[in-house]
Amino acid sequence: EAAVTQSPRNKVAVTGGKVTLSCNQTNNHNNMYWYRQDTGHGLRLIHYSYGAGSTEKGDIPDGYKASRPSQENFSLILELATPSQTSVYFCASGAGNYAEQFFGPGTRLTVL
Amino acid sequence: GDSVIQMQGQVTLSENDFLFINCTYSTTGYPTLFWYVQYSGEGPQLLLQVTTANNKGSSRGFEATYDKGTTSFHLQKTSVQEIDSAVYYCAMSWTGGYKVVFGSGTRLLVSP
């Protein structure tokens, strides 16, 4: 069974709309991460969390919010989606910064 | 700042060829270095990890040595197979840091 799952797997949104991407992990890891993947940029960190109730800004947080209501769940929220946020988004969990990160299968988001 | 550089965007080989993917890093802390592999349609997964300078990591026939002198962590494989076709990411965490930074990725295409 996959330890990190994401939903939806594909999403088409309209400019100005609200989008919520969800992530669930069964690894019991404290740390969770949201990345976006774009050609030529690799994986860039948007937000991360050290545990339930905590969220921290990563390298490219503008236009995104995050929520960690429990150990297992970590959401990424786009309040006002823009076409520049069209990308593939990955969630990951890990025991710490020096430890392996376990990635979900990704969500392909298209903002029209 | 703290970063990893992968200059090769794409590498094209034939089966049984030798693979060499270049990665250099920059940090003022003590790094932990990773290679992640991403197969089509999946999230990245850890290939190997090295935490000690001059040590070698190996997995599934791949090897990488953390060379503190040249600040390099190149990935090698003696004989690639078609199933090795994927995107390979060099990544780094470091003492005092809060995250893992990823390189821009190298797409490996292996023809039979």
Side-chain angles (χ1 to χ4, degrees):
Chain A
E1 312 80 28
V4 181
T5 56
Q6 295 182 232
S7 62
R9 293 295 312 279
N10 291 280
K11 173 74 177 179
V12 178
V14 296
T15 297
K18 181 177 181 178
V19 177
T20 300
L21 307 183
S22 300
C23 177
N24 177 275
Q25 57 108 354
T26 58
N27 297 318
N28 197 31
H29 287 151
N30 287 332
N31 291 11
M32 294 187 74
Y33 310 85
W34 276 107
Y35 296 91
R36 63 177 285 175
Q37 182 179 53
D38 303 286
T39 302
H41 290 94
L43 292 157
R44 292 182 290 174
L45 183 65
I46 305 170
H47 284 287
Y48 62 101
S49 169
Y50 291 127
S54 98
T55 61
E56 306 289 340
K57 293 180 179 179
D59 297 325
I60 53 165
D62 292 347
Y64 303 94
K65 289 172 54 178
S67 174
R68 182 87 181 270
S70 65
Q71 178 83 337
E72 297 80 17
N73 295 295
F74 191 37
S75 298
L76 185 68
I77 303 150
L78 291 67
E79 295 278 6
L80 295 169
T82 68
S84 64
Q85 294 174 312
T86 293
S87 187
V88 180
Y89 292 85
F90 286 98
C91 174
S93 74
N97 287 335
Y98 309 117
E100 176 180 3
Q101 291 191 11
F102 293 83
F103 285 81
T107 294
R108 183 174 297 276
L109 173 66
T110 303
V111 183
L112 301 176
Chain B
D2 306 284
S3 63
V4 293
I5 305 251
Q6 289 179 254
M7 295 299 294
Q8 300 154 285
Q10 181 165 305
V11 172
T12 303
L13 297 172
S14 300
E15 278 196 327
N16 301 313
D17 281 352
F18 175 74
L19 170 68
F20 182 88
I21 300 179
N22 206 308
C23 173
T24 57
Y25 67 89
S26 174
T27 180
T28 55
Y30 292 95
T32 293
L33 297 159
F34 310 85
W35 278 102
Y36 280 82
V37 58
Q38 183 179 20
Y39 300 103
S40 180
E42 300 180 9
Q45 58 183 272
L46 182 67
L47 179 59
L48 53 84
Q49 173 182 350
V50 177
T51 57
T52 305
N54 301 322
N55 273 14
K56 179 186 295 184
S58 61
S59 174
R60 307 182 221 174
F62 292 87
E63 290 186 344
T65 300
Y66 164 5
D67 188 328
K68 188 177 180 182
T70 59
T71 63
S72 67
F73 190 55
H74 309 315
L75 183 70
Q76 303 179 99
K77 187 174 186 182
T78 303
S79 177
V80 293
Q81 303 302 305
E82 190 176 5
I83 59 169
D84 296 324
S85 296
V87 179
Y88 292 82
Y89 288 99
C90 182
M92 177 183 73
S93 62
W94 62 97
T95 52
Y98 63 89
K99 63 181 182 180
V100 173
V101 290
F102 288 82
S104 55
T106 299
R107 180 176 298 278
L108 172 64
L109 297 173
V110 181
S111 57

